Amino acid sequence: MFKKILIANRGEIAVRVIKTCRRLGVQTVVVYSDADADSMAVEMADETVYIGASPASESYLVADKIIDAVRQTGAEAIHPGFGFLSENPVFAKRLEEEGIGWIGPNAYAIEAMGDKISSKKLAAEAGVSTVPGHMGLIEDTKEAVKISKEIGYPVMIKASAGGGGKGIRVAANDKEVEEGFPAVKAEAKASFGDDRVFIEKFILEPRHIEIQVLGDKHGNCIYLVERECSIQRRNQKVIEEAPSPLLDPETRKKMGEQAVALAKAVNYDSAGTVEFVASGADKGFYFLEMNTRLQVEHPVTEMITGVDLVEQMLRVAYGETLKLQQSDIKINGWAVESRVYAEDPYRNFLPSIGRLKRFHAPSEGALAGGEVRMDSGVREGDEISMYYDPMIAKLITHGKDRDTALDVHGEALDRFHIEGIQDNMPFIAAVIDEERFRSGNITTAYIKDEFPDGFDGVEPTEAQEIQLICSAAYVHGFFSRRAADTSGRMSPTRDARRDWIVILGDKHHPVTLDLGDDGEAEITINGGKTHTLVSGWYPGQHLVEGLLDGQPFAVKFADRTEGYLFRHRGVALRALVCTPNVADLHARLPEKEKPDTSKLIISPMPGLVVSMDVELGQEVQEGEAVCVVEAMKMQNIIRAEANGTVKAINVGAGDSVAADEIMVEFG
């Protein structure tokens, strides 16, 4: 086994590789940019090497700097993680020539299968079913429109060197191709240094299913069942699970054997993933692409097979023979992974950048009849940078079956608390509990179908209302007692008020509260049943957790200037706890009018202005593109909210903008 390796990556994948290396007794070297100087990976590594400025093009994508770090530290091999140089055949070939180990597949396999165009040709030659499309390169937008018409709409425009949801657009007509083709080329150039683009038929009602393969340098190759990755937003995976609710043993075997045959055709000798689009109607499947690296979602495979994929990558890269045989791979239970992104689901999932004022992840281990695993590369106090991918953590849960794994996932999300930036956990939680998702009847269009107008939270169920009302009364009772107890102790006050009104959202709920001295309370809502709440919560904590009527619960809590903010799953509601008189006065207050911002184009996030697409005096129609702002490697088209004439332009291409900065004004 290697004695020392270098990890040419950052964030959670660098931390993930370090954990396996520690278990195997392998020393680690981590390279870092300015933005990552104080990162968790840097703290955990045995050695570190600074490689440059924050933009990846000046650090993690510079092969010379990575190789210099190997020479400085005496590392024997490089693990590339995912992204950056992980699927760069030129880099892999150079390492081979310079005698540096590569913990990934051979350069030929990367070149043949990592390129989306050549991989489809090879798949077709190997007898693998492929999606109809144009395999050649496309030079300009006019040709892209012509090809799209020939294939038949809808089509998918994809960067040849793409991955991670970057460089992809779906177009339903000529105009969308005209907009999408140049955008994909620009994103491809910025993210991968390769602006080649191809177009293929977009399969209606598709499911995204991928097969994990593992090969060695001695001709052995197996598949480690499948992962379902159909829950995607803007073609970027959000929730993954293993196995798939769709596949039966026969289809699983067919897909697995095809994936292995394709891998063997290029002498594949590492962990890799063969991706398919499958039909939910007839379980037919078509080859999409092969990712010649470790996938972000690999933990769900590890959870149901018991195989550490990073360890296997290290062993086969060292030259060991694969000890696992196909018959050794069994499916044990079910696993679900959600990607926690630094983005605001209430503002069309725009990137959210800033400092993690609080980052309290759920504890790893047993929970609610299952198991929790956390893969993350950040800590409380870390900065979420605009330079890299918005994913800040992966939450993985395991259970004996799909329902159990999902139940555990919901419980874990309840206990995952972040402040300082916006995160997508409310949206994930809403999906986890949604009826159609629970049924397993999903497609890659699921989010678009079920949340056509974006995400604005969900209405609380009756059970959630009870949880939130009881939590609000309990918290307020504690604060009131502390205010009344001049000694500072939390003992009951003889004349403590018992009758309160909990205003939850816009609903008034009369409550009777009897707060004990050992974290116990009896709470009656609307004169009905008395609920018993037991919790160890005290002021300063941001999670009200305990037992409600004997059942475990956890509600996220934040003290606000006026009232409290409670979050549970996809529900976010403000709660005011008042005396009956104050509640009556509150009901008479007029509602505040929202300011009219329709005549302003405001930057929804910090970023870089890529282009300004309007001029002074230009008449602009509602929905028309005004400018493009880039953040976290994604280009965001900012559109006009109403018709108007451009009165002022405050920024131009190349300018940096802050969140909520006014960029364009209309007359």
Side-chain angles (χ1 to χ4, degrees), residues 394-447:
K394 299 184 304 196
L395 174 64
I396 309 103
T397 57
H398 180 268
K400 63 181 180 179
D401 51 33
R402 187 171 187 264
D403 281 342
T404 303
L406 291 173
D407 288 343
V408 177
H409 212 87
E411 293 290 339
L413 286 168
D414 291 345
R415 292 158 177 79
F416 198 163
H417 181 63
I418 292 175
E419 286 185 24
I421 62 167
Q422 299 301 315
D423 62 76
N424 66 331
M425 284 192 287
F427 176 71
I428 294 170
V431 173
I432 290 292
D433 283 344
E434 196 272 328
E435 184 178 355
R436 178 184 164 195
F437 176 79
R438 282 281 182 157
S439 75
N441 179 28
I442 54 179
T443 72
T444 54
Y446 167 85
I447 290 177

Side-chain angles (χ1 to χ4, degrees), residues 478-500:
F478 249 90
F479 281 132
S480 297
R481 173 188 291 178
R482 185 171 66 171
D485 187 355
T486 56
S487 69
R489 296 189 301 272
M490 292 294 105
S491 58
T493 303
R494 179 178 299 176
D495 299 323
R497 172 178 284 277
R498 298 177 66 243
D499 59 317
W500 298 96

Side-chain angles (χ1 to χ4, degrees), residues 473-526:
Y474 184 87
V475 164
H476 193 75
F478 249 90
F479 281 132
S480 297
R481 173 188 291 178
R482 185 171 66 171
D485 187 355
T486 56
S487 69
R489 296 189 301 272
M490 292 294 105
S491 58
T493 303
R494 179 178 299 176
D495 299 323
R497 172 178 284 277
R498 298 177 66 243
D499 59 317
W500 298 96
I501 303 294
V502 176
I503 305 174
L504 192 65
D506 58 358
K507 297 180 181 178
H508 289 226
H509 301 275
V511 165
T512 301
L513 170 69
D514 291 301
L515 187 62
D517 56 0
D518 292 317
E520 297 182 8
E522 290 190 346
I523 304 164
T524 303
I525 304 172
N526 300 326

Side-chain angles (χ1 to χ4, degrees), residues 353 386 603-610 628-632 636 654-659 661:
I353 299 166
M386 67 178 284
S603 178
M605 72 222 140
L608 182 72
V609 179
V610 175
V628 177
V629 177
E630 183 178 290
M632 291 181 168
N636 301 275
D655 290 346
S656 295
V657 290
E661 182 174 340

Side-chain angles (χ1 to χ4, degrees), residues 204-395:
L204 296 175
E205 300 185 7
R207 296 178 74 132
H208 187 125
I209 297 177
E210 57 190 35
I211 303 291
Q212 175 72 59
V213 296
L214 182 62
D216 64 17
K217 299 182 184 299
H218 308 283
N220 302 301
C221 188
I222 62 172
Y223 66 93
L224 288 84
V225 299
E226 81 280 358
R227 297 184 286 258
E228 172 103 35
C229 307
S230 296
I231 305 303
Q232 303 178 9
R233 187 189 56 75
R234 296 174 186 162
N235 302 300
Q236 191 168 41
K237 299 165 187 173
V238 178
I239 298 173
E240 303 102 348
E241 57 185 305
S244 164
L246 175 68
L247 299 194
D248 53 42
E250 182 182 358
T251 308
R252 177 176 296 118
K253 186 171 184 290
K254 287 180 181 178
M255 292 181 76
E257 289 176 349
Q258 267 197 33
V260 168
L262 192 57
K264 284 187 173 182
V266 291
N267 299 317
Y268 201 83
D269 52 351
S270 186
T273 298
V274 180
E275 300 194 349
F276 294 92
V277 58
S279 166
D282 59 10
K283 299 181 184 176
F285 54 89
Y286 305 91
F287 172 75
L288 281 177
E289 61 188 28
M290 184 173 189
N291 289 301
T292 53
R293 54 169 168 81
L294 191 66
Q295 290 280 87
V296 174
E297 58 271 21
H298 76 274
V300 291
T301 297
E302 294 181 327
M303 294 290 273
I304 66 166
T305 63
V307 177
D308 185 327
L309 289 169
V310 173
E311 176 183 347
Q312 295 302 318
M313 291 181 75
L314 290 167
R315 292 191 180 282
V316 298
Y318 192 67
E320 294 184 19
T321 300
L322 192 63
K323 293 182 172 59
L324 293 167
Q325 297 183 16
Q326 195 61 59
S327 58
D328 297 325
I329 305 303
K330 310 294 183 185
I331 299 176
N332 173 29
W334 212 282
V336 177
E337 172 182 297
S338 62
R339 303 188 187 190
V340 178
Y341 288 119
E343 59 186 17
D344 189 347
Y346 301 98
R347 299 180 70 183
N348 199 27
F349 298 91
L350 289 168
S352 180
I353 299 166
R355 189 167 298 281
L356 291 168
K357 295 179 181 177
R358 297 189 186 277
F359 185 81
H360 295 171
S363 300
E364 292 192 303
L367 176 67
E371 185 180 355
V372 175
R373 168 176 163 176
M374 272 293 307
D375 281 18
S376 180
V378 299
R379 305 148 300 186
E380 191 168 292
D382 284 350
E383 187 84 15
I384 301 302
S385 168
M386 67 178 284
Y387 296 103
Y388 310 117
D389 190 273
M391 188 180 71
I392 56 177
K394 299 184 304 196
L395 174 64

